[in-house]
Amino acid sequence: MRCSFYVLAVVFAATANDGQASDADRKTCASLGRIAESVMKRRQDGLSLQSTLEAAKTAASQKTYAVMEDIILAAYEVPVYTVDSYKERAVGEFRDSQHLECLKILRAAGKS
């Protein structure tokens, strides 16, 4: 997953403003968390990898799709759970891990 997150890091670095994360940067990270949540819900609902990739490709720009594809591939490495509480936990943990990774990239780019 790190490959496209590096693309994100370059974008953050290119838009640096006095080393501080802008509201837009933080909103981007929050959006990535929500995308990750949606993807993991699809995963836990048993939807196919192919259908999720196709939905993302249809909905996203080329630049956004590269990041989304990495999120999707990471989500599909997580097992599908049969117990609802485990599904909810998987969704929440995945969402937060993706959001956290983005915030770490902001920090590494000197924008926190």
Side-chain angles (χ1 to χ4, degrees):
M1 162 154 22
R2 291 234 178 228
C3 180
S4 288
F5 272 116
Y6 286 130
V7 171
L8 190 61
V10 169
V11 170
F12 284 146
T15 61
N17 51 354
D18 298 329
Q20 297 297 312
S22 69
D23 286 342
D25 293 335
R26 292 185 190 281
K27 286 179 182 178
T28 296
C29 288
S31 292
L32 285 175
R34 287 189 298 276
I35 289 167
E37 179 178 42
S38 177
V39 168
M40 184 55 77
K41 282 180 181 177
R42 289 179 64 91
R43 170 66 174 146
Q44 293 302 316
D45 287 343
L47 295 170
S48 73
L49 172 62
Q50 185 62 36
S51 70
T52 302
L53 288 168
E54 288 172 0
K57 193 164 199 156
T58 302
S61 68
Q62 243 181 357
K63 184 169 43 170
T64 305
Y65 178 74
V67 175
M68 288 180 68
E69 183 179 43
D70 280 350
I71 291 171
I72 292 166
L73 295 177
Y76 277 78
E77 290 179 356
V78 175
V80 175
Y81 297 104
T82 57
V83 178
D84 286 343
S85 63
Y86 289 1
K87 288 181 180 191
E88 291 170 13
R89 183 175 178 181
V91 169
E93 287 179 357
F94 190 72
R95 176 199 59 232
D96 292 346
S97 71
Q98 299 306 304
H99 190 169
L100 178 62
E101 184 68 25
C102 183
L103 292 172
K104 285 180 178 180
I105 290 169
L106 275 179
R107 177 171 283 176
K111 296 186 78 176
S112 61

